[in-house]
């Protein structure tokens, strides 16, 4: 069988600093889709508890250290940072999507100003505090958007659209900087 | 135009795509008369006023939604999940 060489999504792409904000690639890691079987919520909660996680409400993210369990749809969530625990196979349909996503981090004071240009959501701190997550659009790219803290968003997009997502974010920063200079 | 997804909350029209009338939920049985299939596939009302459409939240939670809205005033009266309705496939 052919030996395939895994390439990083943003090979050689360094952080981009503009308008006081920083755009950088997120290190790739495991991403699993956890789709609960009907009536399995209580069992799943029991299995997730030792990890410090709970199954998130719509638009929320449950965090423990580097683990993130982000709501993805009705009875579905993305588990980031580790493979699902043993035993969860009887409770939920599990899909390894690690190679399918690319992550970007956008951070800095007033980071909402850049993302607001791309995302049709109210991302102000009051409406979208840390721990909130949304599946929405980044320009025209379906994206999973998570507010990590007050000044940092983690954005995940399908890997096939990673370079477009980078270009869109870079352009937003460029325009924001041009506006600040005037 | 904004629709309030029962799961995601109010979202922009860009996140949705519209399939068409609610009639698509009422598929005739396998042995139904050709007239029933003809109506299911082709016959649609064109109401001025209250309409019930199927919308897909493709930029969000990927749920099918049943939207009751006015084609005259653009008012949206209700947005429901198709999943979980009686008769919906599990």
């Amino acid at each position: 069988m052919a030996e395939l060489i895994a390439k990083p999504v943003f090979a050689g792409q360094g952080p981009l600093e503009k308008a006081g904000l920083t755009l950088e690639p997120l290190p790739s890691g495991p991403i699993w889709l956890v789709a609960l079987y009907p009536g399995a919520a209580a069992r799943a909660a029991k299995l997730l508890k030792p990890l410090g996680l709970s199954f998130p409400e719509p638009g929320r993210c449950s965090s423990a250290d580097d683990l993130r369990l982000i709501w993805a749809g009705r009875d579905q969530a993305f588990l980031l940072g580790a493979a699902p625990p043993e035993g969860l196979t009887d409770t939920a349909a599990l899909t390894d999507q690690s190679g399918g996503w690319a992550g970007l981090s956008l951070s800095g004071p007033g980071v909402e100003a850049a993302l607001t240009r791309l995302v049709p959501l109210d991302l102000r701190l009051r409406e979208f505090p840390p721990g909130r997550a949304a599946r929405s659009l980044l320009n025209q790219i379906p994206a999973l958007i998570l507010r990590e803290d007050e000044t940092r968003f983690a954005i995940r997009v399908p890997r096939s659209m990673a370079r477009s997502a980078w270009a869109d974010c870079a352009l937003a920063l460029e325009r924001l900087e041009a506006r600040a200079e005037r | 135009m904004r629709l309030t997804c029962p799961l995601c909350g109010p979202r922009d029209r860009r996140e949705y795509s519209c399939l068409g009338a609610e009639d698509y939920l009422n598929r005739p049985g396998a042995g139904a008369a050709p007239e029933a299939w003809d109506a299911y596939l082709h016959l649609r009302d064109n109401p001025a006023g209250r309409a019930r459409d199927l919308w897909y939240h493709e930029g969000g939670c990927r749920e099918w939604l049943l939207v009751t809205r006015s084609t005259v005033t653009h008012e949206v009266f209700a947005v429901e999940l198709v999943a979980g309705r009686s008769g919906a496939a599990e």
Side-chain angles (χ1 to χ4, degrees), chain B residues 28-40:
Chain B
E35 290 76 17
W37 281 103
D38 180 54
Y40 168 72

Side-chain angles (χ1 to χ4, degrees), chain A residues 5-180:
Chain A
I5 303 162
K7 285 178 155 181
V9 187
F10 297 104
Q13 186 89 65
L16 176 73
E17 290 185 24
K18 271 201 171 117
L21 304 175
T22 308
L23 175 68
E24 55 195 328
L26 284 173
S28 53
I31 299 184
W32 288 72
L33 180 68
V34 179
L36 296 182
Y37 293 134
R43 267 183 293 149
K46 208 174 285 177
L47 289 163
L48 291 169
K49 207 171 176 192
L51 301 175
L53 298 173
S54 59
F55 202 84
E57 294 290 309
R60 307 279 159 176
C61 170
S62 168
S63 306
D65 299 324
D66 290 341
L67 295 182
R68 300 280 180 276
L69 190 62
I70 306 174
W71 187 83
R74 194 167 42 92
D75 293 337
Q76 293 180 31
F78 287 113
L79 178 64
L80 275 57
E86 289 286 319
L88 205 61
T89 39
D90 300 331
T91 309
L94 304 171
T95 324
D96 183 0
Q97 300 192 355
S98 307
W101 293 84
L104 298 168
S105 160
L106 191 58
S107 58
V111 59
E112 300 90 344
L115 265 190
T116 294
R117 291 169 170 251
L118 303 168
V119 180
L121 292 178
D122 187 350
L123 295 173
R124 287 175 300 171
L125 195 57
R126 197 181 64 203
E127 293 293 321
F128 207 86
R132 277 295 302 269
R135 284 186 97 172
S136 186
L137 300 172
L138 181 85
N139 229 355
Q140 295 172 27
I141 303 170
L144 183 63
I145 297 159
L146 171 66
R147 186 172 205 135
E148 290 278 6
D149 57 45
E150 295 195 358
T151 58
R152 197 158 72 83
F153 284 88
I155 304 156
R156 288 180 175 82
V157 296
R159 183 178 168 136
S160 59
M161 300 181 213
R163 291 203 306 189
S164 302
W166 181 279
D168 287 344
C169 290
L171 187 64
L173 294 189
E174 201 173 294
R175 298 251 163 95
L176 204 60
E177 187 168 73
R179 204 175 164 84

